[in-house]
Amino acid sequence: HTEPHGPLNEESWSTFTAWCNSHLRKAGTQIENIEEDFRDGLKLMLLLEVISGERLAKPERGKMRVHKISNVNKALDFIASKGVKLVSIGAEEIVDGNAKMTLGMIWTIILRFAIQDISVEETSAKEGLLLWCQRKTAPYKNVNIQNFHISWKDGLGFCALIHRHRPELIDYGKLRKDDPMTNLNTAFDVAEKYLDIPKMLDAEDIISTLRPDEKAVMTYVSCYYHAFSGKQKAETAANRICKVLAVNQENEQLMEDYEKLASDLLEWIRRTIPWLENRMPENTMQAMQQKLEDFRDYRRLHKPPKVQEKCQLEINFNTLQTKLRLSNRPAFMPSEGKMVSDINNAWGNLEGAEKGYEEWLLNEIRRLERLDHLAEKFRQKAAIHEAWTEGKEDMLQKRDYETASLSEIKALLKKHEAFESDLAAHQDRVEQIAAIAQELNELDYYDSPSVNARCQRICDQWDTLGALTQKRSEALQRTEKLLETIDQLYLEFAKRAAPFNNWMEGAMEDLQDTFIVHTIEEIQGLSTAHEQFKATLPEADKERLAILGIHNEIAKIVQTYHVNMAGTNPYTTINPQEINAKWDKVRQLVPQRDQALIEEHARQQNNERLRRQFANQANVIGPWIQTKMEEIGRISIEMHGTLEDQLTHLRQYEKSIVNYKPKIDQLEGDHQLIQEALIFDNKHTNYTMEHIRVGWEQLLTTIARTINEIENQILTRDAKGISQDQLNEFRASFNHFDRDHSGTLGAEEFKACLISLGFDIANDAQGENEFSRIMSIVDPNRMGIVTFQAFIDFMSRETADTDTADQVMASFKVLAGDKNYILADELRRELPPDQAEYCIARMAPYTGPDAVPGALDYMSFSTALYGESDL
């Protein structure tokens, strides 16, 4: 009502004007005449926005009467919306400058926004303000506050209120009751200078008036109440802000630590992958063996610490997210490319490159081994062929048939036929040499140019021999008519000696041929073939004796008939001495081949022993790792004792797993022996060393992650004040509905679990909406499952109270003196230095219509503490 405390009079004008200006100057404006300055409604709406902290409807900027009435009506509607009943006050009277109505309206505003909210011991408004004054001035002599008029005439009441709250501002002992002018002016000057309360009263008016204006005194005293009652609120607000900022600073440090560790790990992976993806082959087996040794050093020395760093990174991330949830902060979102999933992807790429690099190393070693074997085989065959072709071109280019006798011509012709037979027999060797050279080229042999050059020389020489052979054959055939019978025995010797000689050369080549095998079966096959070859030696010896018998018969004929044969066989260069020498060489190479096969058989037996030794350990360690993984899974969902007992049990379990590491190292040693022996397969086990390594790393990661989950549950229990019995009840309910023991609940299982714990979720639209809201909290990624950690977080959130953005915003508003912004000096006065500077550095400039230089926006800062931001 406009007149709740008696009629208004013009004595209240100066007080009301000063009160209005004390608030309007926050918006950068002032008034001089109430009934004139409020007529257009603009400053009236601005005054209401300042004192209420709310936005009114957009004002009309026109100068017409209808625009002014619209603005005043908006102000009156806002006052009415605050529960104030306006009696006989209309917009037209205010626009027309009705002084009485204007003063009544201002008094209504003062009552509603400065006095009505005062509450002291269940009394409010005027009675509450009076009771507050009585309590605060009770200890002071000569002060007896009973009303808001004559009780204040001597000025001691105002001085007592100031001294009670700010004793350093007034020396109360020097004041005298009989000097009201000094008392009043002292109080008014001190309040204006130190408490930011303008002079709303005049000392002479108060003294000269029998009964001072009650409304003016109430208005002025209410300013004292608001000035002093805000001090305690400021301290409380400052404490709340300190607590919130301390939590935020700690979380920021954890975020920085995570970012650095993630960056270091990703940088190491980035440097390592190119090394593993380098497929530049080496030319020698020794160089490739060194690459393999470097790779083993990486596996043994460089990678294990990074595996530990990766595990620690996941643990730190989970701990940080738990602390953020407990402090009602948004989840931590690492910078782009540094999510746990990004690190897992990068780690997967590393292991993929690692696996590919190892396979490439082993394949390259096999290739080099094959190349060395083929190159040696090429050199042997080429040397034998070059030795055979030596002098053949000169022999084919002789023109001896031009001066020879008929018998000599006949002999030359037959000799040439024998040579052609020998030439055809060597065709297969030339083709083998070319085929080996082609295979070396296809396998990218490093010395292919020299191999190709030698092969080309052999082929070119072979073509030349073929052409020369054809030319000499034609020449001999032209003179054949001039020749007579030739000694058939020499011809027979030549024909039989040449194939036998070629067979012996082939046998020597085969006996000296190098071999490479990987299994006992392969060496047994070579041994069987060698035994079959030895079985043919008696028949070969018979052929040798038969050929030597022909030579003996020739010698007998020469001796008997005194034939002048110049001591040599005209049809072949092969002689009995050469045949016997090569035969002796074959007999000498046979036992050497026997010994080589025996040694290779022993090596393959040792390889088989290494395979079985590795398989026996791997077949035990592999199932052991799988069993431990299953046991950890069971421990994570069972309840035995308190969380601390479970944590102790898990750490003991972890220690027993770590103590198993020597067996893994022993298996690594056996694996190294297998690789050094160039063993590439093992039929006795399905486990590879890579399987064992991956399983071991997963086992260590799983036990560490399980321990971290228990630690987070302890952290949640202690932070939220949840008892052990409550946690056990939550775990029992969760396990009961986890039918498949997967450690997660489906949507329907989770709903049944909540109902069992007393949640009222009806089978109607409202119940479905409530359940959907809960699912959005526990399953923000809409995976359709609820983990136990998410379940515990939800249940703890339902039973605990935490700070909110609105509470922090309200605290800042108290420090700002109800302004929509705050100044740096106000922050430094109310907060500790480090946290004050923290706020100043992060608060954005305030840009509202009531902004002043240096104004800071505490509202967006408070919202950012609990939402997505860069804080």
Side-chain angles (χ1 to χ4, degrees):
H1 299 278
T2 59
E3 299 184 5
H5 302 288
L8 293 167
N9 55 66
E10 294 185 1
E11 295 176 3
S12 305
W13 280 31
S14 61
T15 301
F16 290 179
T17 300
W19 183 87
C20 292
N21 284 331
S22 69
H23 293 285
L24 285 173
R25 71 165 174 261
K26 298 178 182 177
T29 186
Q30 295 280 288
I31 64 172
E32 296 180 0
N33 188 296
I34 290 180
E35 68 270 22
E36 289 297 329
D37 291 343
F38 283 158
R39 288 179 63 182
D40 60 1
L42 293 175
K43 291 187 177 180
L44 177 60
M45 294 179 69
L46 182 60
L47 173 65
L48 291 172
E49 288 183 346
V50 171
I51 62 178
S52 67
E54 301 181 25
R55 289 287 185 183
L56 274 67
K58 184 176 181 182
E60 301 288 345
R61 297 294 179 180
K63 300 296 184 179
M64 298 177 64
R65 176 179 175 83
V66 66
H67 296 147
K68 298 178 180 180
I69 291 175
S70 175
N71 290 337
V72 175
N73 275 327
K74 291 175 182 178
L76 295 178
D77 291 342
F78 179 78
I79 296 172
S81 70
K82 299 301 178 180
V84 178
K85 183 177 181 182
L86 299 170
V87 178
S88 301
I89 296 179
E92 291 78 1
E93 286 84 354
I94 303 300
V95 173
D96 292 337
N98 186 311
K100 180 178 180 181
M101 292 299 177
T102 302
L103 287 175
M105 179 186 65
I106 297 301
W107 175 241
T108 299
I109 293 173
I110 294 173
L111 281 177
R112 173 58 183 85
F113 294 101
I115 299 176
Q116 181 177 314
D117 291 337
I118 297 174
S119 178
V120 179
E121 296 186 6
E122 300 182 358
T123 62
S124 60
K126 176 181 178 181
E127 292 76 9
L129 181 60
L130 183 61
L131 179 59
W132 178 78
C133 294
Q134 292 171 344
R135 294 293 175 82
K136 295 298 181 180
T137 60
Y140 294 87
K141 61 182 179 179
N142 297 327
V143 178
N144 182 19
I145 305 300
Q146 299 297 327
N147 49 54
F148 287 105
H149 37 82
I150 61 175
S151 295
W152 303 86
K153 289 191 65 172
D154 58 9
L156 291 177
F158 296 110
C159 293
L161 287 177
I162 294 174
H163 185 266
R164 179 66 182 272
H165 295 91
R166 297 289 298 275
E168 77 279 4
L169 299 180
I170 292 179
D171 187 354
Y172 190 83
K174 294 182 178 181
L175 300 177
R176 303 196 317 274
K177 187 174 180 64
D178 58 357
D179 188 7
M181 182 66 70
T182 300
N183 299 339
L184 288 169
N185 285 327
T186 299
F188 296 162
D189 292 340
V190 169
E192 182 177 34
K193 183 177 180 180
Y194 297 103
L195 303 180
D196 198 24
I197 298 174
K199 289 183 179 181
M200 300 182 186
L201 302 176
D202 183 84
E204 293 182 359
D205 290 344
I206 293 176
I207 295 172
S208 62
T209 303
L210 182 63
R211 177 188 172 97
D213 184 71
E214 184 178 35
K215 298 177 181 61
V217 174
M218 282 180 63
T219 301
Y220 186 64
V221 172
S222 69
C223 293
Y224 281 67
Y225 172 85
H226 289 294
F228 295 134
S229 64
K231 182 174 179 63
Q232 183 60 37
K233 294 180 180 178
E235 293 177 356
T236 303
N239 291 335
R240 178 184 295 275
I241 291 172
C242 291
K243 176 184 175 184
V244 171
L245 294 179
V247 171
N248 212 64
Q249 288 171 317
E250 180 183 0
N251 290 340
E252 284 185 355
Q253 184 61 46
L254 291 175
M255 294 175 191
E256 292 175 2
D257 294 343
Y258 173 90
E259 291 281 344
K260 183 179 185 305
L261 187 57
S263 297
D264 293 344
L265 184 58
L266 287 171
E267 175 62 20
W268 177 81
I269 293 174
R270 185 190 65 77
R271 294 196 312 270
T272 304
I273 287 180
W275 175 68
L276 294 173
E277 292 177 344
N278 181 14
R279 299 293 190 271
M280 182 65 67
E282 300 291 345
N283 294 331
T284 64
M285 180 70 77
Q286 181 180 2
M288 288 307 298
Q289 289 285 4
Q290 183 58 48
K291 279 183 175 289
L292 183 61
E293 185 62 30
D294 294 341
F295 181 71
R296 293 195 187 107
D297 289 341
Y298 157 79
R299 277 270 181 77
R300 292 192 302 262
L301 305 177
H302 303 299
K303 185 182 178 184
K306 299 302 177 183
V307 173
Q308 181 62 32
E309 288 182 15
K310 177 177 176 291
C311 178
Q312 188 61 45
L313 187 70
E314 294 181 4
I315 292 174
N316 291 351
F317 181 83
N318 293 335
T319 301
L320 174 59
Q321 297 294 40
T322 299
K323 289 186 175 181
L324 289 174
R325 286 194 300 271
L326 294 177
S327 59
N328 202 24
R329 300 306 196 272
F332 170 55
M333 182 64 64
S335 56
E336 184 176 0
K338 297 179 183 178
M339 295 287 291
V340 173
S341 59
D342 295 325
I343 294 172
N344 288 334
N345 290 337
W347 191 263
N349 294 336
L350 174 72
E351 293 186 332
E354 181 180 311
K355 181 179 180 182
Y357 186 69
E358 184 178 28
E359 292 175 353
W360 174 77
L361 282 176
L362 298 178
N363 290 334
E364 195 64 18
I365 289 174
R366 294 191 191 100
R367 185 181 71 83
L368 289 176
E369 185 180 32
R370 171 69 176 163
L371 284 174
D372 289 345
H373 169 69
L374 287 175
E376 181 61 26
K377 191 172 185 178
F378 174 84
R379 287 190 289 270
Q380 289 183 2
K381 288 184 177 294
I384 293 172
H385 177 78
E386 289 167 346
W388 177 82
T389 59
E390 186 177 0
K392 293 296 189 295
E393 291 185 29
D394 294 337
M395 183 268 292
L396 292 172
Q397 291 175 336
K398 286 181 180 179
R399 305 180 67 85
D400 52 346
Y401 56 83
E402 293 180 348
T403 58
S405 63
L406 181 61
S407 60
E408 290 174 341
I409 292 298
K410 289 288 186 181
L412 289 176
L413 184 59
K414 296 299 182 183
K415 180 181 179 181
H416 190 69
E417 292 175 354
F419 174 76
E420 288 180 327
S421 177
D422 196 13
L423 187 68
H426 280 79
Q427 176 69 33
D428 182 64
R429 180 179 290 113
V430 175
E431 293 176 354
Q432 291 178 6
I433 291 173
I436 294 174
Q438 178 64 27
E439 188 171 0
L440 287 172
N441 277 278
E442 293 174 353
L443 294 176
D444 195 22
Y445 182 56
Y446 78 97
D447 199 20
S448 292
S450 63
V451 170
N452 293 337
R454 190 173 185 181
C455 179
Q456 188 63 45
R457 288 195 302 271
I458 291 173
C459 291
D460 292 344
Q461 186 185 38
W462 185 255
D463 293 339
T464 301
L465 289 176
L468 291 175
T469 299
Q470 180 65 26
K471 183 178 179 181
R472 184 173 178 83
S473 178
E474 293 174 353
L476 290 174
Q477 288 177 4
R478 285 194 301 266
T479 59
E480 185 179 10
K481 294 180 181 180
L482 301 177
L483 300 177
E484 295 197 4
T485 307
I486 194 170
D487 192 343
Q488 294 299 321
L489 287 175
Y490 270 131
L491 181 59
E492 182 181 1
F493 177 88
K495 288 184 177 181
R496 296 184 66 175
F500 184 72
N501 181 67
N502 190 57
W503 174 85
M504 287 191 297
E505 288 180 349
M508 287 189 293
E509 183 179 340
D510 292 339
L511 289 172
Q512 296 178 84
D513 188 18
T514 58
F515 54 83
I516 177 171
V517 295
H518 297 95
T519 63
I520 292 179
E521 290 75 9
E522 291 177 356
I523 192 63
Q524 289 175 344
L526 290 177
S527 298
T528 301
H530 184 61
E531 293 300 324
Q532 292 174 352
F533 167 77
K534 289 196 294 184
T536 64
L537 290 179
E539 289 296 326
D541 192 39
K542 290 179 181 180
E543 178 65 11
R544 180 182 67 86
L545 293 176
I547 293 172
L548 292 177
I550 293 174
H551 178 76
N552 292 334
E553 186 177 353
I554 292 173
K556 183 178 179 181
I557 292 174
V558 170
Q559 185 178 4
T560 302
Y561 297 101
H562 305 289
V563 177
N564 184 14
M565 299 300 296
T568 60
N569 191 329
Y571 307 115
T572 182
T573 59
I574 300 174
N575 56 57
Q577 292 78 16
E578 183 178 353
I579 292 174
N580 286 331
K582 290 182 178 180
W583 177 256
D584 292 340
K585 181 64 175 178
V586 169
R587 297 299 299 270
Q588 179 183 357
L589 290 174
V590 169
Q592 294 178 5
R593 184 74 169 186
D594 289 337
Q595 183 62 31
L597 291 172
I598 291 172
E599 292 175 355
E600 181 61 26
H601 189 273
R603 190 175 77 87
Q604 290 302 323
Q605 285 181 326
N606 182 63
N607 288 352
E608 183 67 12
R609 179 186 62 79
L610 291 176
R611 289 188 182 96
R612 293 182 180 276
Q613 179 175 320
F614 178 84
N616 291 338
Q617 294 188 71
N619 290 336
V620 172
I621 293 175
W624 181 86
I625 291 176
Q626 182 62 33
T627 300
K628 294 302 177 183
M629 290 288 288
E630 293 173 357
E631 291 177 356
I632 293 172
R634 289 196 299 270
I635 292 173
S636 66
I637 65 173
E638 293 176 352
M639 294 184 300
H640 296 295
T642 65
L643 289 176
E644 285 76 6
D645 295 337
Q646 296 176 35
L647 184 62
T648 301
H649 183 203
L650 282 171
R651 284 176 174 161
Q652 292 174 351
Y653 203 81
E654 180 185 35
K655 183 178 180 181
S656 68
I657 290 175
V658 172
N659 290 338
Y660 202 78
K661 182 66 166 58
K663 296 187 178 181
I664 304 296
D665 295 338
Q666 182 180 356
L667 190 64
E668 285 280 7
D670 292 342
H671 178 64
Q672 181 175 346
L673 293 177
I674 284 179
Q675 287 192 324
E676 291 173 351
L678 301 179
I679 300 172
F680 304 111
D681 56 357
N682 193 339
K683 65 182 179 181
H684 303 298
T685 181
N686 293 325
Y687 292 99
T688 65
M689 196 62 228
E690 181 64 23
H691 293 153
I692 299 298
R693 292 190 193 106
V694 171
W696 177 252
E697 292 172 1
Q698 289 178 346
L699 180 61
L700 293 178
T701 301
T702 300
I703 186 63
R705 186 183 294 113
T706 304
I707 290 174
N708 180 246
E709 289 176 356
I710 297 299
E711 291 173 340
N712 286 340
Q713 292 177 28
I714 294 174
L715 187 62
T716 301
R717 181 199 64 191
D718 295 342
K720 300 298 185 177
I722 300 174
S723 67
Q724 184 65 43
D725 291 338
Q726 285 178 302
L727 280 177
N728 290 340
E729 180 185 1
F730 296 160
R731 170 56 84 178
S733 298
F734 188 94
N735 290 346
H736 175 74
F737 290 96
D738 184 14
R739 309 296 187 186
D740 56 356
H741 302 293
S742 63
T744 61
L745 297 179
E748 291 302 318
E749 292 174 334
F750 177 59
K751 184 176 183 180
C753 183
L754 291 179
I755 293 173
S756 72
L757 289 172
F759 281 77
D760 185 10
I761 302 177
N763 290 324
D764 52 19
Q766 183 178 357
E768 289 300 321
N769 291 335
E770 175 62 13
F771 183 69
S772 297
R773 182 191 68 80
I774 295 174
M775 282 299 293
S776 67
I777 295 173
V778 299
D779 183 22
N781 295 325
R782 301 184 182 278
M783 302 295 292
I785 60 173
V786 180
T787 64
F788 181 68
Q789 186 60 45
F791 175 74
I792 286 296
D793 289 343
F794 172 75
M795 295 304 298
S796 63
R797 189 181 297 112
E798 291 298 308
T799 60
D801 184 22
T802 57
D803 295 318
T804 66
D806 290 339
Q807 291 174 327
V808 175
M809 198 181 304
S811 298
F812 273 116
K813 190 165 188 177
V814 171
L815 295 187
D818 287 336
K819 298 192 298 293
N820 292 327
Y821 58 85
I822 194 167
L823 300 176
D825 291 340
E826 293 172 333
L827 288 171
R828 292 189 177 101
R829 184 175 66 242
E830 302 295 346
L831 298 180
D834 60 333
Q835 296 187 340
E837 297 304 323
Y838 178 84
C839 292
I840 293 170
R842 285 163 173 76
M843 282 187 182
Y846 177 71
T847 58
D850 53 343
V852 298
L856 300 175
D857 188 352
Y858 62 80
M859 295 183 183
S860 62
F861 176 77
S862 301
T863 303
L865 287 177
Y866 293 88
E868 296 294 335
S869 73
D870 297 329
L871 288 180

